Amino acid sequence: MKKVNLSQVKEKVRLAVQEANFIIDKDLKALIQGCQPGEESPAGQEILSQILKNADIAAAEKLALCQDTGLAVFFVELGEKVKLEYAGFKSLRDAITKGTAEGYKEGYLRKSVCDPLSRKNSGDNTPVFIHWEVVPGDDFKVTFMAKGGGSENMSVLKMMPPSAGAKGIEDFVVDAVSKAGPNPCPPTVVGVGIGGNFDTSALLAKKALLRKPVGSPSADPAYAEMEKHILERINRLGIGPMGLGGRTTSLAVHIASHPCHIASFPVAVNINCHSHRIVEIEL
């Protein structure tokens, strides 16, 4: 039986929220660098260079990659045989929450969480957003995502007729990216959730963004081909880096799917900005 001390969890979270905001994913950086030779737009070339320069400065100076340091989103896989050692914490949520608050304060990261009506800021970027999954055995995995408002606001979900088929999915995703334009700060990573029900499809779209390495194809050949086709269509839209024109609108399309009702065909799109701030927390 694995024992997990919540003090350790809190410390790992504290460091992870800063790492995600300071250091760009190496695989994402390689994708951006790989797009540079094929970017025909001078403005697009300049923006890609600025993104890479910004990433170097952020890492060296321990500064945020972007002023919008995002909502604190966590995906937790908790094994049934894991024993939590509370060490003064009320719960695993409590440890994650306190680690987030400390990390955002220590890293001088912007606090963006507010009441939806009064718009009063919580002051410490909490409450956090946690998606729980109980898994067999003693596995324990925590993944952090800093999700900015510009990209999150471009999320869309549609309950499509089953007759829409693969073409309907592709058209819907490409149209979503087209309408998003410069708002999610391209070049983006596009998460697509197919199937399940209303709420599951949205979670699938966000969870699809976690795939490592970023840009790797789906394990399902049919979805891998669909990802490739959608990405090609997106990059023919001409939106380009930061919406200033060019061939590099998205770096990757990741699809996740789940069985659905025979009368339903939900499809959701969740876009991530070019910083793609995701860190797996090792425990």
Side-chain angles (χ1 to χ4, degrees), residues 56-240:
D56 290 340
I57 294 171
E61 302 292 334
K62 291 189 176 181
L63 297 171
L65 288 156
C66 174
Q67 52 81 27
D68 182 350
T69 54
L71 296 176
V73 180
F74 292 87
F75 291 82
V76 177
E77 294 180 16
L78 179 62
E80 293 172 324
K81 295 182 179 180
V82 170
K83 178 177 174 58
L84 299 177
E85 297 179 332
Y86 288 85
F89 294 94
K90 292 182 288 186
S91 63
L92 177 54
R93 177 183 290 276
D94 184 38
I96 292 173
T97 297
K98 287 178 178 174
T100 299
E102 288 184 17
Y104 269 76
K105 180 180 180 180
E106 185 180 274
Y108 297 96
L109 304 175
R110 195 183 82 186
K111 290 78 176 175
S112 301
V113 178
C114 68
D115 180 87
L117 267 182
S118 70
R119 312 308 289 182
K120 182 180 179 181
N121 198 294
S122 69
D124 60 4
N125 218 53
T126 70
V128 296
F129 298 77
I130 305 178
H131 302 288
W132 305 95
E133 184 178 357
V134 178
V135 297
D138 62 358
D139 288 340
F140 183 69
K141 180 181 177 182
V142 179
T143 305
F144 169 70
M145 173 191 291
K147 196 65 169 68
S151 61
E152 188 72 356
N153 288 347
M154 298 300 104
S155 304
V156 288
L157 188 154
K158 187 174 183 180
M159 303 301 289
M160 303 174 72
S163 59
K167 186 178 186 304
I169 294 171
E170 292 187 14
D171 290 347
F172 174 64
V173 176
V174 174
D175 183 61
V177 176
S178 177
K179 288 177 178 175
N183 294 326
C185 298
T188 58
V189 178
V190 182
V192 182
I194 302 171
N197 55 11
F198 177 82
D199 46 303
T200 304
S201 61
L203 182 57
L204 284 170
K206 184 161 286 180
K207 197 170 182 179
L209 295 171
L210 306 183
R211 187 190 300 167
K212 294 281 189 176
V214 60
S216 58
S218 169
D220 185 313
Y223 285 126
E225 185 62 28
M226 182 180 288
E227 289 171 344
K228 180 181 176 182
H229 195 214
I230 292 173
L231 183 61
E232 290 172 351
R233 288 183 60 183
I234 287 172
N235 286 332
R236 291 198 296 266
L237 292 172
I239 295 169

Side-chain angles (χ1 to χ4, degrees), residues 1-5 8 81-85 138 283:
M1 177 181 288
K2 177 186 282 187
K3 295 181 179 180
V4 175
N5 186 288
Q8 185 183 20
K81 295 182 179 180
V82 170
K83 178 177 174 58
L84 299 177
E85 297 179 332
D138 62 358
L283 291 155

Side-chain angles (χ1 to χ4, degrees), residues 265-282:
F265 194 37
V267 181
V269 176
N270 193 239
I271 301 174
N272 224 358
C273 72
H274 63 258
S275 291
H276 195 63
R277 299 162 296 182
I278 297 171
V279 170
E280 291 183 0
I281 300 170
E282 296 182 5

